[in-house]
Amino acid sequence: MTVATLIANISNSEKEALIALYNSTNGAQWNTTWDITAPIDTWNGVKIENNQVTELNLPFNNLNGKLPVQIGDLLNLKKLNLGFNGLTGEIPTALSSLTNLESLELFMNKFEGEIPTVLGSLKNLKSLKLYSNKLSGNIPSSLMELTDLEELLLGSNYLTGNIPNEIYALTKLKKFSVMDNKMDGEIPTEIAQLTNLEELLLSSNQFTGDLPLEFINLTKLNTIMVSDNNL
């Protein structure tokens, strides 16, 4: 198969979504930029399989600006990593269209507003990393429907409210962090049901009550941080 036929088979909507991302995040100033006149399979961070864009990896690349709604047209994405950039605005609800996503990494940016409830529709997610942004509001209970999650990292934001009791449903969870937020309430004993948990980072919040004795059941836990709370 020639490059020409390969490129011709990538859907127009996928190509336009990539160009929209380039335009809305100041692509000309990226650390490693794209020559958008060149074949897409030469574009840095774009992985193509079977004429479909399956991964977009652009960490540490000086993306500045807002994510365009067209990002939701990359319907075959399994991995989206835009960590360590300067992205602003709210996390677009259009991401809920990416139902094949297994990894969504938007950490170390400047995203504001609440975590979109619609992310709960991404049933294939194994890793959700939104730490070190400016996100506010509660953790949506819809995230507790992502039963394949192995990593849920929400630390260093401005999140408030409680840890949802429904967290017991995330039976595959290995890493859970809400450290350095403004969350309160008691630490739910339901976390003790997450027997695959290896890291539990709850420090620097306003949690009250006791650390549940049931946590003794978490035999795989090797890191637990609960300092700087009101326990």
Side-chain angles (χ1 to χ4, degrees):
M1 180 179 289
T2 66
V3 167
T5 56
L6 178 70
I7 298 315
N9 286 338
I10 290 174
S11 72
N12 259 344
S13 59
E14 285 192 324
K15 181 173 183 180
E16 288 170 10
L18 292 173
I19 292 174
L21 175 69
Y22 176 91
N23 288 333
S24 65
T25 60
N26 204 11
Q29 301 300 317
W30 290 357
N31 292 336
T32 305
T33 189
W34 291 342
D35 176 358
I36 55 176
T37 64
I40 293 176
D41 61 350
T42 67
W43 295 7
N44 170 59
V46 179
K47 184 175 181 181
I48 296 172
E49 297 175 297
N50 300 322
N51 306 324
Q52 299 172 334
V53 179
T54 57
E55 291 189 15
L56 189 54
N57 295 296
L58 296 170
F60 292 105
N61 206 36
N62 198 38
L63 276 68
N64 290 285
K66 297 183 178 180
L67 279 185
V69 293
Q70 292 94 326
I71 197 88
D73 293 333
L74 296 171
L75 297 175
N76 301 293
L77 272 191
K78 293 180 180 176
K79 182 176 183 181
L80 178 61
N81 182 355
L82 302 176
F84 290 101
N85 281 294
L87 297 168
T88 55
E90 297 192 353
I91 295 174
T93 55
L95 290 174
S96 63
S97 301
L98 307 182
T99 52
N100 291 301
L101 264 191
E102 296 175 5
S103 179
L104 177 57
E105 304 183 20
L106 302 177
F107 56 89
M108 299 293 291
N109 280 285
K110 300 173 184 174
F111 287 112
E112 299 176 327
E114 300 192 357
I115 299 172
T117 304
V118 291
L119 294 186
S121 64
L122 302 178
K123 302 301 185 197
N124 290 306
L125 266 192
K126 296 177 181 175
S127 180
L128 179 58
K129 300 180 181 179
L130 304 179
Y131 61 86
S132 298
N133 280 288
K134 299 179 179 180
L135 299 170
S136 56
N138 295 354
I139 297 176
S141 57
S142 62
L143 296 188
M144 304 302 123
E145 298 168 17
L146 301 176
T147 51
D148 278 345
L149 270 188
E150 296 175 8
E151 299 177 300
L152 180 56
L153 306 181
L154 307 175
S156 297
N157 281 292
Y158 303 116
L159 299 176
T160 52
N162 304 345
I163 298 173
N165 291 334
E166 297 89 345
I167 195 169
Y168 66 82
L170 305 183
T171 54
K172 298 179 182 178
L173 205 61
K174 296 177 181 177
K175 297 181 180 181
F176 178 59
S177 172
V178 292
M179 65 185 294
D180 189 25
N181 276 291
K182 299 180 177 181
M183 300 185 66
D184 56 26
E186 297 198 358
I187 297 172
T189 56
E190 284 83 357
I191 290 176
Q193 298 179 39
L194 306 181
T195 52
N196 288 302
L197 210 56
E198 298 169 5
E199 280 185 21
L200 179 59
L201 309 180
L202 308 177
S203 51
S204 300
N205 279 285
Q206 296 157 23
F207 293 122
T208 53
D210 297 321
L211 194 62
L213 188 63
E214 291 86 348
F215 282 11
I216 202 166
N217 297 325
L218 299 175
T219 54
K220 295 183 180 178
L221 199 63
N222 56 47
T223 306
I224 179 169
M225 295 172 61
V226 293
S227 60
D228 297 317
N229 278 291
N230 299 318
L231 299 175

